[in-house]
């Protein structure tokens, strides 16, 4: 039984290379629940809490992208600079759990768990984020769409550490909305990220908690692009809004489970998407 | 570093505490209560939802049930037991008593820790900030009204005394 608490990324990579079966822990807000309830009993653990490199964030020299360390707690994404550059991510971060959870939980952990209800994930999907993985022998930069393989399954190899994610900095409205049983401390029953990208004349929509993994509404995006002038604020007619909601609902693939029903989820995700489209077009 | 899991050290309330013969998966909540004789942090849900186990770790309020104790070496941990300097009630505890914010008392230690953390970082919180700061702490008795008043009163008293 060992607990390694490395203080640099290279030491952490060496530790996982030596023992790929070891369990990685960052904030512990997913993993400790599993351990407390005896669903997992790790023998070896590598804790990343003291690897400061994983808590950094930076903007590319040309200002086109932002890279966020896998271990940066949500609390540090809620406001200030990150919120200004990627508002949808800040909004998603603010909806996570409670202050105690946001002081510990991270994007690395959200990706590591890869729950379809993970609140950072629809934002990463809508913005076509790149996930940076490292092992002691190399590095892989893969699209978040390739990274998320299925319900709580991802493309990380056992000896890899998720180091960071890179998101584009775009002009245009973006937002995140979710529904749960109450406002504080709630896992999403349905969620949606909508991002207008004026630079590339595109609109991007991703749905959470309504499928085995995050769903990108590519058909609806293509249709909507033909209906709106993405370089300005549009008057969204009631008919257009209704058709938009119906198309989003069509692309969702929800199921019944202990948190909600498929019927409600489909309705909720369509309502959330319509709300976001309305906000995006409010001058 | 790799602490020997049979013996590791935690800094709790300014003291170095040795933890012996522990299983690595033990939560900080369990270690505080069962191994270090500090039962102030309460355990109810053990899944981060109730906040009754709230402690301060490196100046932030966290759920001790979600911290793997053996990974918390080299952090500064304060529990409700460590808030008072001279054995008297703290200003926040006084406010809870005076405003009638304690009924069964189970949620109180976690709330008191969360409120200390709020007032230490934001001495003049708005009503929304207060609500947000205690949104991770569940109380089954009071309905929160009196707790909310206690926080406002503690903030006001602190303002007065610091004038
Ligand atoms: C009360 C409560 C409320 C919650 N509310 C929400 C919510 O509203 N929205 C939401 O999305 N989530 C919520 N969660 C879940 C959790 O907080 C998030 O998924 C969080 O992002 C996990 O981050 P972490 O750092 O704590 O992960 P950890 O628990 O440390 O790790 C989770 C998994 O990811 C792996 N991992 C972590 N970091 C890395 C890395 N760098 N490289 C490789 N693997 C890694 C771990 O091995 C583990 O399998 C909640 C949890 C609790 C307890
Ligand atoms: S016991 Fe830790 S939050 Fe409930
Ligand atoms: S006073 Fe009883 S739970 Fe809060």
């Amino acid at each position: 039984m060992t607990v390694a608490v490395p203080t640099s990324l290279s030491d952490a990579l060496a530790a996982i290379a030596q023992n790929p079966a070891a369990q990685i822990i960052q904030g512990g807000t997913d993993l400790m629940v599993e351990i407390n309830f005896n669903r997992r009993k790790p023998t070896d653990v590598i804790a990343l809490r003291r690897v400061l490199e994983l808590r950094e964030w930076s903007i590319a020299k040309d200002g086109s992208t932002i890279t966020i360390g896998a271990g940066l707690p949500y609390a540090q994404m809620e406001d200030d600079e990150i919120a200004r550059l990627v508002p949808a991510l800040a909004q998603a971060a603010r909806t996570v759990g409670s202050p105690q959870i946001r002081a510990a939980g991270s994007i690395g952990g959200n990706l590591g768990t890869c729950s379809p209800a993970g609140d950072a994930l629809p934002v990463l999907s809508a913005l076509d984020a790149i996930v940076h993985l490292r092992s002691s022998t190399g590095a892989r930069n893969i699209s978040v769409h390739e990274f998320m393989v299925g319900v709580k399954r991802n493309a990380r190899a056992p000896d890899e550490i998720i180091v960071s994610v890179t998101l584009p900095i775009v002009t245009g409205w973006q937002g995140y909305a979710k529904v749960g049983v109450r406002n504080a401390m709630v896992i999403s029953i349905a969620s949606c990220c909508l991002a207008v990208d004026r630079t590339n004349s595109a609109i991007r929509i991703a749905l959470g908690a309504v499928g085995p993994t995050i769903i990108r509404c590519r058909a609806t995006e293509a249709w909507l692009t033909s209906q709106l002038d993405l370089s300005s604020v549009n008057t969204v007619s009631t008919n257009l809004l209704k058709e938009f909601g119906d198309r989003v609902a069509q692309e969702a693939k929800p199921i019944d489970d202990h948190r909600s029903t498929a019927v409600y989820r489909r309705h909720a995700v369509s309502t959330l998407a319509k709300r976001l489209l309305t906000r995006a077009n409010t001058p | 570093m790799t602490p020997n899991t049979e013996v590791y050290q935690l800094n709790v309330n300014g003291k170095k505490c040795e933890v012996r013969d522990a299983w690595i998966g033990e939560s900080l909540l369990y270690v505080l209560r069962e191994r270090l004789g500090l039962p102030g942090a309460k355990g109810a849900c053990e899944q981060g939802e109730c906040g009754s186990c709230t402690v301060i770790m490196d100046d932030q309020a966290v759920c001790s049930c979600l911290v793997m104790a053996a990974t918390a070496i080299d952090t500064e941990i304060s529990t409700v037991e460590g808030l008072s300097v001279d054995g008297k009630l703290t200003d926040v505890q006084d406010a809870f008593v005076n405003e009638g914010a304690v009924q069964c008392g189970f949620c109180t230690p976690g709330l008191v820790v969360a409120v200390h953390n709020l007032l230490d970082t934001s001495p003049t919180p708005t009503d929304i900030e207060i609500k947000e700061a205690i949104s991770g702490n569940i109380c089954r008795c009071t309905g929160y009204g009196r707790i909310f008043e206690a926080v406002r009163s503690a903030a006001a008293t602190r303002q007065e005394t610091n004038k």
Side-chain angles (χ1 to χ4, degrees), chain B residues 101-108 111 138-142 147:
Chain B
V102 182
Q103 285 188 27
C104 80
F106 192 88
C107 67
T108 312
L111 272 158
I138 288 176
C139 173
R140 295 299 305 271
C141 302
T142 64
I147 293 172

Side-chain angles (χ1 to χ4, degrees), chain A residues 169-173 196-199:
Chain A
I169 297 172
V170 291
T171 45
W173 190 92
V196 179
D197 175 354
R198 290 213 169 139
T199 322

Side-chain angles (χ1 to χ4, degrees), chain A residues 233-253:
Chain A
V233 168
N234 294 259
T235 315
V236 180
S237 71
T238 319
N239 283 344
L240 184 90
L241 199 60
K242 183 177 181 311
E243 182 165 358
F244 171 67
D246 292 347
R247 283 173 183 263
V248 167
Q250 277 293 312
E251 291 199 62
K253 298 182 192 67

Side-chain angles (χ1 to χ4, degrees), chain A residues 1, chain B residues 3-8 18-24 35:
Chain A
M1 298 199 316
Chain B
N4 179 335
T5 34
E6 263 105 73
V7 190
Y8 61 88
E18 208 144 87
V19 182
R20 294 184 167 274
D21 303 319
W23 173 61
I24 60 159
R35 299 194 182 275

